[in-house]
Amino acid sequence: MTDVSRAQRAGLKGRGGRGDPSPLGTWFWDIDRVLLLLALFLIAIGLIAVAAGSPASASRYSGEHLKFAPLHYFWRQLLWAGVSLPVLFGVSMLPVTAARRMSLIGAAVCVALLMIVPFGGVVVNGARRWISFGFAQFQPSEFLKPFFVVAVAWLLSLKSRDEELPVTMITAGLTGLIAVLLMLQPDFGQTVIFCCIWLALVTIAGTPTRVIMGFVAMVPAALVAAYLFYSTARARIDAFLFPGVEGEGAADHFQTDAAHRTLTSGGWFGTGPGGGTVKYGLPEAHTDYIFSVIGEEFGLLACMVVALVFLALVVRVFVKLLDEQDPFKLLAASGLAVQFGAQALISMAVNTGLAPSKGMTLPFISYGGSSMVALSLGMGLLLAFTRRNPFLLRSPYITRWNAE
């Protein structure tokens, strides 16, 4: 055997193994594969769920001059999944520094676009949240969420270098600005998500308890102010607390009632794929209320599985971060986990009638191009910040060197 053939065989033997030095090989062994599988599982569940909800929405939005095919939304979601997966994998391969720089730039651009939305945005279902590019619509708030998490995490991590930096108040001001811009759209649900993410991050960052308690004490006052001066919040709270309310609140109450009725109509095991009929009376069956469609066609047990997958994703991230030493990576990854968990929790709570209607999609499962790409970007960032070499910390030389 020649020296060339021996070298070729040695190269092939190492390719794909733990010693594979290629970028793809390094990525595969450093990535959290359990977290990646959970994300892919959610995307697969989403495609099945959109296929189940698509006929109801296609029938609802078809008119005399415009007819949608029963699986119209499924085929579009399949297309968006094909666009989103390369984004997820590509972002997850970025070095931490590059991912942070991209997020900071992205946060600045999205905040600027958010300022444009109230004046030049597109109105859909009574809310001005989108910017149109002719062939597609772009929702800046969806992309801002992961970028916001990373930006706030970076600002809070600077406190480890200089205790005197007023990073908590700076991030509070940024969150307040975003909340005002979102409420102008109006988008009360996203406002709640951003505030929850910020409160979780400042808590994880080690902000003094008295400061945290001060912020928490402001929540009831903020809710009262929203009820008194913000008509969207008042209508939805009234619809939730007072079922007989008239006007806009009545429409919201109809939606939550229809969602609860659809969710429970399939029993524990569901009617089977395509067997649901109650979903045809459900508004936004393919987006905001897709969790109810899952309940009707696949049963309450399937809903429990979906909830457990989201719980497993969040728990996996926090377990992974138990020994993380980098303050920025700790805050960024935990903040992204809170984003996914909080959005899923609110969406499922609305579908089950435990929270007022908020127009909140279920991550990776609800239909939506902007949502799918933005969530894939966020998951890619989460995978990038939780990447680590499992053998590096096991080295006795590195352990001994660190001990000294």
Side-chain angles (χ1 to χ4, degrees):
M1 184 179 294
T2 65
D3 293 339
V4 174
S5 62
R6 287 195 185 95
Q8 290 174 341
R9 289 186 60 185
L12 291 173
K13 186 177 180 181
R15 189 170 299 279
R18 188 65 188 93
D20 185 355
S22 68
L24 185 60
T26 303
W27 169 85
F28 178 79
W29 289 104
D30 291 355
I31 204 77
D32 188 332
R33 293 183 294 281
V34 173
L35 200 57
L36 177 60
L37 285 174
L38 289 173
L40 296 177
F41 186 47
L42 285 173
I43 293 174
I45 292 174
L47 290 174
I48 296 172
V50 171
S54 181
S57 294
S59 174
R60 188 178 188 88
Y61 295 117
S62 292
E64 182 180 352
H65 303 290
L66 181 63
K67 297 287 185 182
F68 291 110
L71 293 179
H72 170 79
Y73 294 104
F74 167 73
W75 293 119
R76 288 177 65 90
Q77 186 74 348
L78 188 63
L79 174 63
W80 282 116
V83 173
S84 301
L85 285 175
V87 173
L88 190 155
F89 286 109
V91 173
S92 71
M93 295 179 183
L94 292 175
V96 172
T97 304
R100 180 174 58 209
R101 185 180 298 117
M102 178 194 73
S103 299
L104 294 176
I105 296 172
V109 172
C110 287
V111 170
L113 291 173
L114 210 59
M115 294 178 179
I116 297 173
V117 169
F119 307 101
V122 177
V123 178
V124 178
N125 293 332
R128 193 183 299 272
R129 302 173 185 172
W130 290 264
I131 293 177
S132 178
F133 291 99
F135 62 93
Q137 292 179 349
F138 167 79
Q139 190 173 355
S141 61
E142 289 288 349
F143 287 87
L144 179 58
K145 276 186 289 190
F147 293 149
F148 168 80
V149 170
V150 178
V152 172
W154 174 69
L155 287 169
L156 292 174
S157 68
L158 295 178
K159 199 170 183 65
S160 62
R161 303 180 187 179
D162 186 352
E163 289 288 336
E164 301 301 320
L165 288 175
V167 290
T168 301
M169 298 312 298
I170 292 174
T171 57
L174 175 62
T175 307
L177 171 64
I178 293 171
V180 170
L181 293 173
L182 288 172
M183 292 173 75
L184 289 174
Q185 296 183 0
D187 195 342
F188 187 57
Q190 295 283 23
T191 304
V192 172
I193 289 290
F194 275 91
C195 292
C196 287
I197 293 171
W198 173 79
L199 188 58
L201 282 174
V202 295
T203 303
I204 296 169
T207 303
T209 305
R210 66 181 184 279
V211 178
I212 297 296
M213 289 298 101
F215 288 130
V216 171
M218 293 172 61
V219 172
L223 289 175
V224 171
Y227 184 84
L228 293 175
F229 305 108
Y230 189 48
S231 60
T232 301
R234 180 167 58 254
R236 291 183 172 176
I237 293 173
D238 282 345
F240 181 69
L241 296 177
F242 312 110
V245 72
E246 299 294 332
E248 182 183 352
D252 284 343
H253 189 71
F254 163 76
Q255 292 178 4
T256 53
D257 278 351
H260 186 269
R261 187 166 54 250
T262 306
L263 177 70
T264 56
S265 63
W268 287 105
F269 302 102
T271 60
T277 56
V278 183
K279 66 184 181 182
Y280 284 91
L282 184 65
E284 307 295 338
H286 61 313
T287 54
D288 298 351
Y289 297 103
I290 199 165
F291 191 67
S292 295
V293 174
I294 294 174
E296 180 182 17
E297 299 209 350
F298 303 99
L300 296 176
L301 288 177
C303 292
M304 293 172 62
V305 169
V306 172
L308 287 173
V309 173
F310 280 110
L311 178 61
L313 188 150
V314 174
V315 171
R316 175 69 181 182
V317 173
F318 280 97
V319 169
K320 185 87 172 179
L321 296 173
L322 286 176
D323 59 350
E324 180 58 62
Q325 301 299 314
D326 186 331
F328 167 71
K329 290 170 65 176
L330 172 66
L331 289 166
S334 57
L336 289 166
V338 168
Q339 175 201 330
F340 288 116
Q343 184 168 335
L345 182 62
I346 292 174
S347 177
M348 290 185 286
V350 169
N351 277 256
T352 54
L354 296 176
S357 175
K358 287 185 175 64
M360 187 68 63
T361 56
L362 192 58
F364 292 118
I365 295 180
S366 294
Y367 169 84
S370 289
S371 176
M372 178 64 77
V373 176
L375 288 164
S376 297
L377 189 151
M379 181 55 66
L381 288 171
L382 180 56
L383 290 168
F385 295 138
T386 53
R387 282 176 60 187
R388 69 178 60 171
N389 187 327
F391 294 92
L392 184 62
L393 298 178
R394 298 178 190 173
S395 170
Y397 301 102
I398 292 178
T399 301
R400 190 176 301 119
W401 178 267
N402 288 339
E404 294 175 359

